[in-house]
Amino acid sequence: MPLAWQRQRQFRKYGSINELYFWRLDQGIDTVAPIQNYFSSLFPDLDTATRGQVWIFNSDGNEIASHEFNLPVHGMHPLRISELVGHGNSYGTFMWHIRIPDSVASLEVVRKNLIYFTDRGYICYERDHSQPAFMHGVDRYAVFQEQCMQSSELFYGQTEGKHDWTPEFPIQGGMQSAIDVMLLNRTKRPCDCLITLYRNGGIKIFETTQKVMPRGGAILPLGDDILAQLQDSGGYFKVSGLPTQWGRPAITRHYSCGAISVMHC
C-alpha cells in the first residue's frame, strides 16, 4: 500500500476496492458483466470459493435492485442487467463486490500488510442479442473493509475537483451516425459536466451541460443533427467538469448498419 494511501482513513485495514460501471438498456442494447473469481488466479493453491453481490442504481444514483451469487473456485457469474431491472429502465450505474475468501483473508501477508484487492473487470454492451462490445473499468469507487459485504466507504473521500478530458480520436462526418458520451459520478457531490464540440481549427460549434448525481450516470448524445455541423471538416470534442482525475467517460459509437462500438479513450 503506498504511503500516501496509508494516511487516508479508508486504507488502514485490508479489503477490496471496486469500480462503478455504466449500464444501459436503450436502443436495443443490453449490459452483461462476466464476474470472475480473480482470487483463484492470484492464489491457485487455496480454496477460493466465495460469494458476491451486485447493486444496481438508476441514473440518479438510487438503488433499484440487488442480487447475491456464489462464485466457485475459478468460477464466473454471468450478470445480465435486463434480467434484474427490465427494459422499462433506460440507463444507470452498477457495482459488484466479491468477498475475500476465508483462505485469503487468513493469510498473514494480507492481514498485516494493508493489502487491498482492486477489481476493475470487463463489461459488455450487447446490441440486439448478437453484437457484443466490451469495455473495462478505469477508476475506483467503493472500499470494502476486510470481508465486509454491505458497508463500504468511497474511494474518493474528498471531491477531487474539476477535470477536463479530450478523447484521442478525431470525429469525421459520415464515420458514424451518432456518438453517446457516458458519464459517471464516483463522488458524494453532484457535478456539472460540459461537453463542447469543435470543428478543426478550434471552432466551437456546439456545447451542452449535464448534471450527474452522486453514484449516478448520464448520457450526452451527439446525434446526426449535431455531427452535421462539422460539414466537410473533421473535429473533436471535450468534456469539462469531471469529478475524478482517472474517471474518463466512455463512448458508444452508433453506425448506420446497426452496429455499435464502445471504448474509453
Side-chain angles (χ1 to χ4, degrees):
M1 176 70 69
L3 181 60
W5 285 17
Q6 291 181 32
R7 292 169 177 161
Q8 299 182 42
R9 180 177 58 84
Q10 65 265 46
F11 302 122
R12 294 180 178 174
K13 298 182 181 180
Y14 69 91
S16 300
I17 303 172
N18 300 300
E19 166 69 307
L20 187 69
Y21 301 90
F22 193 98
W23 63 264
R24 60 186 306 178
L25 297 177
D26 62 327
Q27 304 189 55
I29 300 173
D30 200 349
T31 306
V32 182
I35 303 175
Q36 302 179 57
N37 189 344
Y38 61 88
F39 291 105
S40 298
S41 298
L42 297 175
F43 304 95
D45 298 326
L46 299 180
D47 178 4
T48 53
T50 185
R51 57 191 175 90
Q53 184 166 347
V54 61
W55 296 266
I56 303 175
F57 314 101
N58 62 16
S59 59
D60 290 329
N62 299 316
E63 183 177 332
I64 58 176
S66 63
H67 170 65
E68 297 182 6
F69 55 91
N70 293 317
L71 271 181
V73 176
H74 293 291
M76 189 266 289
H77 179 76
L79 176 77
R80 185 173 290 273
I81 296 295
S82 62
E83 295 178 352
L84 298 177
V85 303
H87 282 276
N89 297 274
S90 296
Y91 61 87
T93 66
F94 71 109
M95 174 186 71
W96 68 76
H97 171 54
I98 302 173
R99 182 178 184 269
I100 299 177
D102 293 339
S103 60
V104 176
S106 64
L107 295 174
E108 183 176 3
V109 67
V110 172
R111 289 182 172 272
K112 291 188 176 182
N113 287 275
L114 302 179
I115 289 180
Y116 284 81
F117 300 92
T118 300
D119 185 2
R120 294 191 295 187
Y122 275 83
I123 61 173
C124 169
Y125 297 98
E126 185 184 84
R127 181 70 178 269
D128 296 330
H129 302 286
S130 60
Q131 192 248 317
F134 280 86
M135 184 186 69
H136 59 77
V138 296
D139 207 343
R140 301 173 177 89
Y141 175 64
V143 181
F144 288 81
Q145 304 294 346
E146 301 181 352
Q147 293 176 283
C148 181
M149 286 296 295
Q150 296 297 328
S151 178
S152 65
E153 303 171 85
L154 292 184
F155 178 85
Y156 294 102
Q158 301 293 328
T159 301
E160 294 289 286
K162 296 181 179 180
H163 302 274
D164 297 334
W165 168 84
T166 302
E168 298 168 354
F169 67 88
I171 301 174
Q172 188 70 35
M175 289 183 64
Q176 63 278 301
S177 58
I179 295 175
D180 293 334
V181 183
M182 301 183 291
L183 304 170
L184 294 175
N185 185 350
R186 298 172 176 87
T187 69
K188 59 184 178 181
R189 296 182 179 89
C191 66
D192 292 310
C193 293
L194 171 70
I195 184 169
T196 308
L197 179 64
Y198 298 90
R199 190 181 298 139
N200 282 346
I203 303 171
K204 184 190 299 184
I205 58 177
F206 173 80
E207 69 178 11
T208 185
T209 301
Q210 177 68 56
K211 181 179 289 293
V212 189
M213 301 304 293
R215 200 170 62 184
I219 294 180
L220 294 177
L222 298 175
D224 276 337
D225 56 335
I226 297 174
L227 297 178
Q229 298 180 47
L230 292 172
Q231 300 174 356
D232 295 329
S233 172
Y236 61 94
F237 66 89
K238 175 182 178 180
V239 180
S240 304
L242 297 175
T244 60
Q245 180 179 3
W246 305 111
R248 59 190 188 271
I251 299 169
T252 301
R253 302 177 82 175
H254 300 265
Y255 301 95
S256 58
C257 65
I260 61 170
S261 67
V262 184
M263 67 194 79
H264 287 292
C265 297

